[in-house]
Amino acid sequence: MAFAANFIWGAATSAYQIEGAAAEDGKGLNLWDVYTREPGRILDGHTGETACGHYRRFREDVRLMKEIGLQAYRFSLSWARLLPDGVGKVNEAGVRFYDALIDALLENGIEPYITLYHWDMPYELYKRGGWLNPGSPEWLGGLARLAAERFSDRVSHFFTLNEPQCFIGLGHLTGIHAPGLQCPLRDTFEMAHNALKAHGRAVQMLRQYGKQPLEIGYAPTCSAAYPETETPADIEAARQAMFALPEDDRNWTWNVSWWSDPVLLGHYPEEGLSRFEPYLPRFADADFKLISEPIDVYAQNLYNGRCLRMGKAGKPEIVHRYPGFPKTANGWPITPEALYWGPKFLSERYRKPLYITENGMSCHDRKTPDGKVHDPNRIDFLTQYLRQLRRAAAEADLRGYFHWSLMDNFEWEKGYSERFGMIYVDYPTQERTIKDSARWYREVIRTNGENLISNTREPS
Ligand code: GCO
């Protein structure tokens, strides 16, 4: 089975991780501008004040996207660059930046995909309670309306939220991401509910103010689950694990079903309603109508997964990774099977066309004396993962794949220590160098993935 003829091959970034110009041209403060200034929060005190300088270098970056042959580019809007206070007055310089970026992409035959919210809430809104404020859905609705009014004449693909599991969980439970809080569990469930309502409100505003028919999606994350063997029992064990909730309530946000069942099925999972009952706010029926506003596509940021077998008592049990299991530079396990079984299980449950909105690995990349950046590990990683995704194409309506990331960038609490890009960024000079993997990816795009299948057997 091959990828569909109209399958889209792209790469992804986010505003705070690449733009820099954190206080230029009228941009307001956001959560990460403030959080990264706090001592000890970010490795070596790195911040996104400069990042990859994309705000000024975007034309060069679009030319590099063209050289790689990208068909699409997924980027996020810096909310405080457009609305410095989060609501109200529009910063026209911010609108001009995104206008110019969108125009440059279209001039180069690259389809823009906009993510409305990739973690960088304006600080003024945080000061008004952030996601705990019942007005937060309307706040995101306002950003969605602005995006529709100003950009949807040229942009027809929008994702509302990127990884609510992270911006609620890491930002407000563990506190390793901005705003760095460890809130009461009950508050985090109310924040999550407001974030899901914000997703629904954004869908409504995009539909109402869109200048053309729009393809609207939602981009949560997860770690997938895959079976030890392809026996029906092990497959069922993996399927159950894929949608189960974490055992530790303090890690509750790291799951698929609590975040996607309401959006695509119109209700929270029963397991969660009973498990989390002590922490749940009152829900209004109208909330679920809003949260499940129809979307056109589903998406997932998918990097790896857990291996399961069906245990003797008929319960799924984790198959522990052997010593020395392959891993990436930042310690994530290399599990290509996740990109077959994850899309398979997600498509079975939600029956929606699916984008992989992020996948990739961090490598210890460096420029060698020949002036190049050889990243064979990334080429091998992507070959293995994309072969599995190609297998999923027979069972899921796969629409596209966005490599994380276009370029090395600010990796949140890890600062600039992890390189995920296909383009190497020399931060002191801001010089860009296309890595070997980008040249390999150009062939993947040109052949629509057919170059992935060499003489080795298709994955089982
Ligand atoms: C995420 C975010 C990205 C990360 C990437 C590597 O998925 O955590 O969307 O901003 O940088 O995934 O961790």
Side-chain angles (χ1 to χ4, degrees):
M1 180 63 197
F3 290 103
N6 59 354
F7 186 82
I8 292 288
W9 295 97
T13 63
S14 85
Y16 189 79
Q17 293 179 273
I18 68 165
E19 285 183 7
E24 292 183 31
D25 293 350
K27 173 181 165 293
L29 273 180
N30 65 39
L31 281 183
W32 282 89
D33 293 322
V34 174
Y35 182 71
T36 52
R37 290 177 192 160
E38 279 186 34
R41 290 293 200 178
I42 309 294
L43 181 120
D44 295 342
H46 294 168
T47 77
E49 280 170 47
T50 306
C52 305
H54 180 71
Y55 181 74
R56 299 245 175 269
R57 287 174 170 75
F58 72 92
R59 294 188 195 286
E60 173 191 359
D61 293 334
V62 172
R63 279 196 298 275
L64 291 170
M65 293 180 214
K66 175 85 175 170
E67 190 176 338
I68 296 169
L70 294 188
Q71 296 168 336
Y73 172 52
R74 174 184 176 236
F75 61 98
S76 76
L77 301 177
S78 171
W79 190 341
R81 194 179 297 287
L82 290 165
L83 293 158
D85 297 327
V87 292
K89 188 175 173 312
V90 175
N91 174 29
E92 291 300 336
V95 173
R96 284 195 296 273
F97 166 65
Y98 291 111
D99 271 339
L101 172 59
I102 290 162
D103 291 346
L105 289 166
L106 294 172
E107 284 155 19
N108 285 277
I110 299 164
E111 192 66 25
Y113 281 65
I114 286 180
T115 303
L116 295 178
Y117 188 68
H118 200 126
W119 306 0
D120 53 0
M121 178 178 277
Y123 201 67
E124 288 309 310
L125 298 183
Y126 166 72
K127 285 162 50 177
R128 294 168 57 181
W131 290 110
L132 205 52
N133 187 313
S136 50
E138 207 51 47
W139 298 342
L140 189 71
L143 177 64
R145 174 175 174 173
L146 185 148
E149 287 176 331
R150 300 301 194 93
F151 308 134
S152 74
D153 57 318
R154 291 154 289 159
V155 180
S156 59
H157 302 275
F158 289 87
F159 295 108
T160 56
L161 303 179
N162 180 81
E163 300 198 2
Q165 293 92 337
C166 290
F167 70 77
I168 297 297
L170 302 182
H172 301 85
L173 255 187
T174 58
I176 65 164
H177 277 190
L181 303 178
Q182 294 186 333
C183 300
L185 279 174
R186 191 216 162 282
D187 290 355
T188 61
F189 280 94
E190 184 155 352
M191 291 178 197
H193 195 64
N194 286 337
L196 290 169
K197 287 169 71 177
H199 155 80
R201 189 61 181 140
V203 175
Q204 288 179 333
M205 298 302 259
L206 287 169
R207 298 281 189 223
Q208 184 175 347
Y209 294 95
K211 300 279 177 63
Q212 60 177 311
L214 303 181
E215 180 186 78
I216 302 173
Y218 164 62
T221 187
C222 74
S223 60
Y226 60 91
E228 183 181 35
T229 71
E230 298 206 6
T231 59
D234 285 356
I235 290 172
E236 180 52 27
R239 180 182 288 112
Q240 288 178 21
M242 180 87 187
F243 300 103
L245 299 168
E247 276 162 29
D248 172 8
D249 286 358
R250 292 298 311 168
N251 182 36
W252 79 263
T253 65
W254 193 248
N255 72 83
V256 173
S257 55
W258 189 264
W259 298 98
S260 292
D261 283 14
V263 171
L264 293 157
L265 306 179
H267 57 77
Y268 284 121
E270 271 313 312
E271 178 199 350
L273 289 172
S274 52
R275 254 287 296 282
F276 300 138
E277 196 279 329
Y279 317 118
L280 297 182
R282 259 195 323 282
F283 304 130
D285 286 348
D287 293 352
F288 295 96
K289 187 171 178 314
L290 174 63
I291 293 170
S292 60
E293 276 287 340
I295 56 177
D296 308 293
V297 293
Y298 182 47
Q300 198 79 193
N301 295 349
L302 220 175
Y303 291 89
N304 47 61
R306 299 150 290 158
C307 183
L308 281 298
R309 68 166 76 95
M310 191 56 88
K312 291 190 181 32
K315 289 213 176 315
E317 64 184 29
I318 286 274
V319 178
H320 294 291
R321 297 186 190 111
Y322 55 82
F325 192 92
K327 63 183 180 184
T328 65
N330 65 344
W332 292 359
I334 297 178
T335 57
E337 304 85 343
L339 222 50
Y340 167 67
W341 294 97
K344 173 188 169 68
F345 291 148
L346 292 169
S347 298
E348 278 175 4
R349 187 177 182 104
Y350 298 123
R351 303 195 177 289
K352 272 287 173 190
L354 180 69
Y355 282 94
I356 299 299
T357 28
E358 288 181 24
N359 172 259
M361 72 180 297
S362 74
C363 285
H364 295 305
D365 299 327
R366 65 186 183 85
K367 268 183 87 168
T368 40
D370 62 2
K372 296 189 187 307
V373 180
H374 305 297
D375 53 343
N377 285 11
R378 183 171 286 106
I379 293 173
D380 174 64
F381 175 100
L382 293 175
T383 300
Q384 299 308 320
Y385 271 74
L386 289 174
R387 282 179 178 170
Q388 296 282 345
L389 186 63
R390 186 174 180 277
R391 182 186 174 196
E395 302 172 56
D397 180 357
L398 299 180
R399 294 295 173 89
Y401 171 89
F402 291 88
H403 177 262
W404 185 272
S405 179
L406 171 70
M407 66 178 85
D408 299 334
N409 59 53
F410 178 79
E411 179 53 20
W412 309 113
E413 79 280 5
K414 299 209 174 88
Y416 297 98
S417 64
E418 299 296 344
R419 292 181 179 276
F420 277 87
M422 284 186 157
I423 297 170
Y424 180 89
V425 177
D426 179 305
Y427 294 108
T429 66
Q430 289 290 355
E431 183 195 29
R432 277 85 159 127
T433 305
I434 282 189
K435 301 180 188 176
D436 290 357
S437 58
R439 293 189 173 82
W440 169 84
Y441 192 55
R442 185 169 51 202
E443 272 308 287
V444 173
I445 297 168
R446 191 183 65 78
T447 64
N448 194 27
E450 288 312 296
N451 71 327
L452 296 166
I453 308 305
S454 59
N455 52 11
T456 52
R457 203 171 42 79
E458 277 256 296
S460 59

